[in-house]
């Protein structure tokens, strides 16, 4: 006897786009709030702002968020698409990943330092 699988309401791609949109919004808030401190605190924290340029990261994250928000409306929540909308979605992904690249690198370096050096406090 054949049984039907339940239909997923959101595909993996749509969920990843919503997650990327939330990450962009988080980056905008962090860069606005802590950007100058991240730029000037140390070379390690400047990694999160792509070498001390928090306004550029903020602009990329805001642009990526706005592009994805507009595309969410046009694609009915990233569920329907055309060739032009797919190209626009891919462009928005690239802008978002560029904005988040510094934050991702900072987190990875911090985790690697924790693994290699262990506790840094006595």
């Amino acid at each position: 006897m054949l049984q039907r699988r339940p239909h997923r309401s959101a595909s993996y791609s749509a969920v990843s786009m919503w997650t990327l949109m939330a990450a962009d919004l988080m980056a905008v808030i962090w860069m606005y709030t802590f950007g100058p401190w991240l730029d000037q605190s140390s070379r390690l924290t400047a990694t999160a702002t792509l070498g001390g340029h928090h306004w550029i990261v903020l602009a990329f994250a805001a642009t990526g968020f706005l592009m994805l928000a507009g595309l969410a409306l046009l694609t009915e929540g990233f569920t329907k698409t055309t060739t032009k909308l797919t190209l626009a979605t891919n462009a928005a992904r690239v802008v978002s990943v560029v904005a988040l690249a510094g934050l991702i690198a900072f987190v990875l370096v911090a985790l690697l330092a924790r693994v290699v050096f262990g506790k840094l406090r006595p």
Side-chain angles (χ1 to χ4, degrees):
M1 177 180 280
L2 295 174
Q3 294 179 357
R4 290 187 179 187
R5 291 184 182 181
H7 178 43
R8 295 182 189 173
S9 61
S11 68
Y12 175 75
S13 178
V15 171
S16 68
M17 296 303 288
W18 286 108
T19 304
L20 190 59
M21 202 163 115
D24 277 336
L25 184 59
M26 180 234 21
V28 167
I29 293 168
W30 272 76
M31 286 302 128
Y32 183 76
T33 306
F34 299 111
W37 178 81
L38 290 169
D39 284 346
Q40 299 167 359
S41 180
S42 72
R43 286 186 182 180
L44 178 63
T45 58
T47 303
T49 60
L50 298 177
H53 305 287
H54 76 278
W55 288 111
I56 294 173
V57 175
L58 188 136
F60 268 91
T63 303
F65 176 78
L66 292 174
M67 288 173 72
L68 289 172
L71 287 166
L73 295 173
L74 295 173
T75 61
E76 297 179 15
F78 304 111
T79 58
K80 303 192 185 210
T81 188
T82 63
T83 304
K84 290 180 182 179
L85 289 175
T86 301
L87 289 173
T89 303
N90 289 337
R93 286 180 187 178
V94 169
V95 170
S96 295
V97 168
V98 167
L100 298 171
L103 290 172
I104 293 168
F106 175 72
V107 169
L108 290 176
V109 167
L111 289 175
L112 180 65
R114 174 71 178 182
V115 169
V116 171
F117 300 116
K119 288 185 179 181
L120 296 177
R121 296 182 183 172

